[in-house]
Amino acid sequence: MSAGRGTDAAVEGRLDGDLLDAVSSWAPAPTRFGSFRLVPVRPSRDLPLLTRWMNDPAVDAFWELAGPETVTADHVRAQLEGDGRSVPCLGVLDSTPMSYFEIYRADLDPVARAYPARPHDTGIHLLLGGTRDRGRGVGTTLLRAVADLVLDHRPRCTRVVAEPDIRNTPSVSAFLSAGFRYAAEIDLPDKRAALMIRDRALRHVL
């Protein structure tokens, strides 16, 4: 996920005010695994943990950010020093940081060139940090919780979207179980992806 689509998008972003409606103020969400909240990344506090997660081979297979701390720092800094269209966050379950999320304006991202984006489409990237949280429904639960947070706090957003690598079948399955629909396969510069969409109109049905 990269920065933006050029001058027109940047102008639209400035006119839009707070692009992601102060993610840091979003209230915790109750889940069956505990209370979950998004905490925007603070590099001075979080880089060692994020770097350890990025060097997990299962994570690196799709994020491709393994290496020294500077690799993760550059990835996070690009978002923190941007215009606010992407917010990197720790996912904290009860009091334990256990996942990493990127909440981003998909309609202002290069991914919008690959599908018919709508204004205020909001995207999600996710990785689960610990192996004990994988394969037991935690990812599905958190994806549903975060999608609900987006829809609750972003009234102009009609769809939450994601674009996991088509080869990442556990991720695609988690999105499906979290109420997303498999909309299409799309070609992005670094992968062939499954376009997953959760529609506001169907949020209480799926």
Side-chain angles (χ1 to χ4, degrees):
M1 200 277 300
S2 51
R5 293 187 296 164
T7 303
D8 291 344
V11 170
E12 181 183 343
R14 287 196 297 272
L15 294 175
D16 191 43
D18 189 343
L19 289 177
L20 284 166
D21 307 302
V23 173
S24 61
S25 70
W26 292 3
T31 78
R32 67 189 181 97
F33 294 103
S35 178
F36 176 81
R37 62 193 174 102
L38 292 170
V39 178
V41 166
R42 222 168 54 215
S44 60
R45 176 193 63 197
D46 302 326
L47 272 177
L49 178 62
L50 291 176
T51 301
R52 177 159 57 83
W53 290 347
M54 292 300 183
N55 278 277
D56 179 333
V59 172
D60 181 54
F62 299 104
W63 283 76
E64 299 182 341
L65 290 171
E69 193 170 283
T70 53
V71 175
T72 302
D74 288 345
H75 178 78
V76 171
R77 186 182 303 113
Q79 298 171 76
L80 295 176
E81 295 180 356
D83 61 5
R85 69 184 62 189
S86 180
V87 179
C89 296
L90 288 182
V92 178
L93 195 57
D94 290 331
S95 59
T96 303
M98 44 70 68
S99 55
Y100 173 68
F101 281 83
E102 293 172 352
I103 314 298
Y104 68 99
R105 282 287 297 269
D107 60 324
L108 303 181
D109 187 85
V111 71
R113 301 176 186 141
Y115 81 103
R118 295 180 187 171
H120 301 284
D121 276 358
T122 303
I124 296 176
H125 295 144
L126 161 68
L127 73 81
L128 293 178
T131 55
R132 65 188 179 86
D133 290 320
R134 300 172 193 165
R136 61 188 188 98
V138 174
T140 292
T141 297
L142 299 190
L143 287 171
R144 182 177 286 274
V146 171
D148 282 340
L149 286 171
V150 169
L151 295 172
D152 287 343
H153 290 88
R154 309 204 67 242
R156 289 180 290 178
C157 171
T158 62
R159 306 187 302 182
V160 182
V161 305
E163 20 80 14
D165 192 302
I166 197 72
R167 300 168 300 157
N168 192 348
T169 51
S171 180
V172 173
S173 177
F175 278 105
L176 288 170
S177 298
F180 287 73
R181 59 184 171 86
Y182 190 115
E185 290 185 19
I186 57 176
D187 287 311
L188 300 177
D190 56 345
K191 63 186 177 184
R192 184 158 181 80
L195 177 65
M196 312 298 298
I197 295 177
R198 187 167 183 214
D199 301 277
R200 178 182 293 277
L202 299 176
R203 69 180 294 195
H204 298 302
V205 177
L206 297 176

